[in-house]
Amino acid sequence: MAECENMQYAAVTATGGYRINEFLRIGAGLGAKYYFNKGWVRGTDNKFGVPIFANLRGNFTSAYDCDGVPFWSLNIGGITEEGFFASPTIGYSFGGLRNNFLIGISYTITSFTDYRDKKVAYSYFGLKLGYEF
């Protein structure tokens, strides 16, 4: 088996939070993650995980003057059946102050027990799509 394996998955998360000001938000989130294949890389046949995380998000520019703004985001927490994860994201929010569509590129690092029963770190890039109301 190769050391670097590709695991495809899809995840849905919801984040609730508080807007401190127009540039900074804090919150917490919960989700569901489904692995399409390569369950053996993770050392389990369970195809589901539940991410639970804290979120910090900020705008690079003011949203009062624009219909869209670039943003950064950081999720830190854990995933059931896996362990710790961290996921910084850089993206763009369009729509104004409220009711926005979000698109971003994220880098995620997570730890889990692999098929050799060894704790490993696994990292990957992803595309995040969202809606804010």
Side-chain angles (χ1 to χ4, degrees):
M1 290 182 225
E3 285 297 314
C4 182
E5 291 292 336
N6 187 8
M7 290 190 305
Q8 295 86 26
Y9 74 91
V12 175
T13 61
T15 305
Y18 176 74
R19 181 189 309 240
I20 294 172
N21 58 41
E22 69 175 301
F23 295 101
L24 187 62
R25 297 173 179 140
I26 59 171
L30 180 68
K33 190 172 185 181
Y34 176 79
Y35 293 93
F36 293 104
N37 62 10
K38 305 294 188 203
W40 55 267
V41 173
R42 291 173 39 243
T44 178
D45 290 331
N46 186 351
K47 293 186 175 280
F48 291 96
V50 177
I52 302 168
F53 56 91
N55 173 263
L56 186 63
R57 191 175 108 203
N59 292 340
F60 287 113
T61 61
S62 174
Y64 285 109
D65 302 329
C66 306
D67 287 338
V69 295
F71 72 89
W72 59 269
S73 179
L74 177 63
N75 292 343
I76 296 178
I79 302 174
T80 60
E81 302 293 326
E82 292 182 20
F84 170 82
F85 88 97
S87 182
T89 301
I90 298 292
Y92 194 78
S93 169
F94 3 1
L97 292 175
R98 302 251 193 265
N99 301 319
N100 298 313
F101 287 101
L102 300 113
I103 185 167
I105 300 294
S106 67
Y107 175 77
T108 301
I109 185 162
T110 187
S111 65
F112 58 84
T113 304
D114 70 3
Y115 66 94
R116 298 170 294 192
D117 204 27
K118 179 180 172 187
K119 199 71 162 171
V120 296
Y122 200 84
S123 62
Y124 44 89
F125 284 97
L127 175 66
K128 289 188 177 181
L129 303 172
Y131 185 74
E132 174 184 50
F133 51 93

